[in-house]
Amino acid sequence: MVTPVYIKIHDDLKKMIENGEWKIGDKIPSERELCLKFNVSRMTLRQAVQTLAEEGILERKVGSGTFVARQKVQEKVSGVTSFTELMQRFGKIPSSKTISYHLADASSSEMEQLKLTDKRVLRMERIRYGNEEPICFEVATIPAKFVRNLSKDKVTKSFYKTLEEEEHLKIGHAQQIVSAITASERVAEYLNLKRNDPLLYLQQVTCLDDGTPFEYVRTQYAGNRFEFYLTR
């Protein structure tokens, strides 16, 4: 399957930043300039830039443009977060709607997070609900080797349970990074929000008990419907 165009642009822009073409605090070229450079539509370009912004590599400033972001202070939390269990704990009925589900080549960021040598991954997008109210938009990336023998239904509804009970794999720890972002037009529509409304952004890499990463999830939570509660 062909790699999505926006992923290729994402990787090219990320490489330019890593190679020092743009430094921290630099404003990157305008959407019009980048569209001409990559010969793509504005919608495709925006998807690539938005993905980099969600990863904390770029920072969009309303009325000013898009800049190379400064590295953020990170608060990492150990523990596997299950949306289904979380909703049930608060007396809400969990459900989800799958927006996309396909095998593709991993982006450079996905390769890094999952420590991949084989680029083939399953990438799926879902809207997650509690009592039919949209709570978050989630993008999950899973190495293809973990889902080759699994049906779509098992991956979208009971992936962890299937890995443990049918594949005999033991789930270990997860690393999570939480930050604040604003809603893109697309995500705002999914979550019944307005563009630039506040979101909580969670990046989570979940590993087996031997330390092998098997899932990289980026979740955008509606800021007015969800909060994290941490104990130490």
Side-chain angles (χ1 to χ4, degrees):
M1 188 173 291
V2 179
T3 301
V5 175
Y6 85 91
I7 291 291
K8 293 180 180 178
I9 297 173
H10 162 284
D11 290 351
D12 287 344
L13 292 173
K14 185 170 181 285
K15 189 174 294 184
M16 290 177 188
I17 294 168
E18 291 172 343
N19 291 341
E21 187 167 330
W22 301 313
K23 302 185 185 304
I24 290 175
D26 283 353
K27 183 178 179 179
I28 69 170
S30 68
E31 285 186 353
R32 182 176 179 279
E33 291 175 279
L34 290 175
C35 285
L36 290 172
K37 177 181 177 64
F38 292 108
N39 192 28
V40 295
S41 68
R42 186 161 290 189
M43 183 180 295
T44 299
L45 189 279
R46 282 179 177 171
Q47 194 171 2
V49 170
Q50 180 64 28
T51 302
L52 288 165
E54 290 166 1
E55 293 172 353
I57 296 170
L58 293 178
E59 181 180 7
R60 307 180 87 167
K61 298 181 181 179
V62 178
S64 299
T66 303
F67 299 79
V68 179
R70 287 171 172 78
Q71 187 173 9
K72 296 179 181 178
V73 175
Q74 298 178 346
E75 177 71 22
K76 294 190 178 181
V77 185
S78 293
V80 176
T81 301
S82 166
F83 181 84
T84 298
E85 291 177 357
L86 192 61
M87 289 298 102
Q88 291 172 340
R89 191 183 308 163
F90 286 96
K92 294 181 180 291
I93 299 173
S95 60
S96 64
K97 177 182 178 181
T98 302
I99 303 299
S100 68
Y101 182 101
H102 59 270
L103 288 171
D105 285 344
S107 70
S108 57
S109 295
E110 291 166 334
M111 292 283 291
E112 292 169 10
Q113 293 290 341
L114 291 167
K115 300 177 182 176
L116 296 176
T117 53
D118 180 358
K119 292 188 69 173
R120 298 302 286 170
V121 295
L122 167 68
R123 189 182 299 113
M124 60 179 174
E125 300 178 327
R126 293 184 289 182
I127 304 171
R128 311 299 294 271
Y129 300 85
N131 287 354
E132 299 185 352
E133 181 180 43
I135 302 295
C136 63
F137 172 67
E138 173 187 282
V139 181
T141 305
I142 302 167
K145 65 181 180 181
F146 289 109
V147 296
R148 284 197 181 102
N149 301 320
L150 303 182
S151 67
K152 178 179 177 179
D153 193 59
K154 287 186 176 180
V155 174
T156 57
K157 294 183 179 179
S158 56
F159 182 47
Y160 286 14
K161 183 178 179 181
T162 300
L163 284 183
E164 291 191 313
E165 295 183 0
E166 297 186 21
E167 300 298 312
H168 307 295
L169 298 172
K170 186 175 181 181
I171 295 172
H173 69 283
Q175 290 185 331
Q176 302 169 326
I177 302 173
V178 182
S179 57
I181 63 172
T182 57
S184 66
E185 188 172 346
R186 179 182 183 224
V187 173
E189 182 178 347
Y190 288 152
L191 299 181
N192 292 340
L193 299 171
K194 295 179 181 178
R195 186 178 179 183
N196 294 324
D197 273 359
L199 300 173
L200 287 170
Y201 182 56
L202 172 70
Q203 296 182 72
Q204 176 170 305
V205 177
T206 312
C207 301
L208 301 176
D209 64 342
D210 64 1
T212 302
F214 71 87
E215 183 186 50
Y216 174 40
V217 180
R218 288 81 75 204
T219 310
Q220 300 179 54
Y221 292 90
N224 61 348
R225 299 174 203 144
F226 193 89
E227 63 182 11
F228 287 95
Y229 178 72
L230 308 178
T231 58
R232 291 189 175 183

